[in-house]
Amino acid sequence: MENELIAIWQSSPNHERIKFEKSRFMLEVQSSLDKFKKTTGYWDFMEIGIAAIMIPFFAYQAYRLPSILSKFGAILIAIWLTCVIYTALKLKKAKPHEGDSYIDYLRQCMEYLERHKILSRKLMLWYVFPCLIGVAMIVVGQLDLLNKSWEQIIDTRMVWITLLIFMAIVVFAHQTNKWVVKKEFTPRLKKVGELIRSMEEDQVES
């Protein structure tokens, strides 16, 4: 069957081959977009759910912890989690929907992908560092490091454990984010852009 289809395609006129290739490319792009929307939908659900659970926890820690610095750290994390939920819901509302034409839908997809890519490139600034700063404030307050000498701080085992964990998180988040941008966003943006240009050329020709 496959060999017969290949033979039919090879014997078809050139313009029919072009139509076939465009149709196949459209299906490929649409499949990629559907997969991306499904993945982001699952991620949004997990992110919003976890953040909603953690906000009351850190609000309680802000009340329970004795150190003023630790209280501020817990409050900062609760505020950060609220911003995470707001950003996720804002992105969710911006998901592409069927417009007047398929090319309008593709333009919406392009904009949606661009937003995700921009947020991913700024991940360290708005996602990772605020959380780490809040955790660092809690640790410093709990260990009472502000009232200790540098020698005592250096001799505190928990300080080095926390620093190593922070470094591992930063390196992992940075490398993972680079991979996601390279493998998930850039190829999809390229394909959607090519399909939009192809459809615009067809509109001009017609």
Side-chain angles (χ1 to χ4, degrees):
M1 178 69 72
E2 185 179 350
N3 291 335
E4 288 178 5
L5 288 173
I6 292 172
I8 291 170
W9 178 79
Q10 290 175 341
S11 62
S12 299
N14 190 51
H15 66 277
E16 292 296 334
R17 293 188 195 179
I18 293 172
K19 286 182 180 179
F20 176 81
E21 291 294 339
K22 285 184 177 180
S23 298
R24 190 175 66 173
F25 185 54
M26 286 176 69
L27 291 173
E28 180 185 339
V29 171
Q30 188 58 53
S31 176
S32 178
L33 291 173
D34 289 341
K35 182 181 177 182
F36 179 77
K37 285 193 290 182
K38 185 177 180 180
T39 303
T40 53
Y42 173 77
W43 175 252
D44 288 343
F45 175 78
M46 292 292 295
E47 192 173 40
I48 293 171
I50 293 172
I53 293 171
M54 296 303 291
I55 287 173
F57 171 79
F58 280 102
Y60 174 70
Q61 295 305 312
Y63 165 77
R64 185 187 69 85
L65 294 172
S67 167
I68 296 297
L69 187 61
S70 295
K71 288 180 182 290
F72 277 116
I75 291 170
L76 175 63
I77 293 176
I79 293 172
W80 166 72
L81 289 168
T82 304
C83 292
V84 168
I85 292 175
Y86 171 77
T87 303
L89 290 174
K90 190 176 178 181
L91 265 180
K92 196 173 181 180
K93 289 182 179 179
K95 279 189 176 181
H97 58 274
E98 292 184 5
D100 295 333
S101 64
Y102 185 65
I103 195 169
D104 289 333
Y105 168 77
L106 289 174
R107 287 172 181 144
Q108 290 178 35
C109 290
M110 194 85 171
E111 185 179 348
Y112 184 63
L113 287 166
E114 285 286 0
R115 286 187 181 185
H116 270 280
K117 188 176 180 180
I118 290 170
L119 276 177
S120 293
R121 283 181 170 172
K122 296 180 179 178
L123 184 78
M124 303 301 293
L125 183 64
W126 75 274
Y127 200 93
V128 177
F129 288 145
C131 178
L132 294 185
I133 291 170
V135 173
M137 291 170 69
I138 292 174
V139 172
V140 171
Q142 286 296 94
L143 297 178
D144 196 25
L145 296 182
L146 295 179
N147 295 320
K148 292 182 179 180
S149 65
W150 281 107
E151 289 78 10
Q152 290 175 313
I153 293 173
I154 292 172
D155 290 337
T156 304
R157 184 180 175 185
M158 193 61 190
V159 171
W160 293 104
I161 292 173
T162 304
L163 284 174
L164 287 173
I165 292 173
F166 280 11
M167 289 172 63
I169 290 172
V170 169
V171 172
F172 175 78
H174 179 68
Q175 293 300 323
T176 302
N177 192 51
K178 279 179 64 178
W179 182 87
V180 169
V181 170
K182 183 179 179 181
K183 297 294 183 180
E184 297 293 328
F185 297 123
T186 304
R188 283 187 171 92
L189 281 166
K190 183 180 179 182
K191 286 182 179 180
V192 174
E194 288 175 359
L195 184 54
I196 289 173
R197 285 190 296 273
S198 174
M199 294 183 72
E200 286 176 341
E201 289 172 2
D202 289 345
Q203 287 180 348
V204 171
E205 290 175 2
S206 59

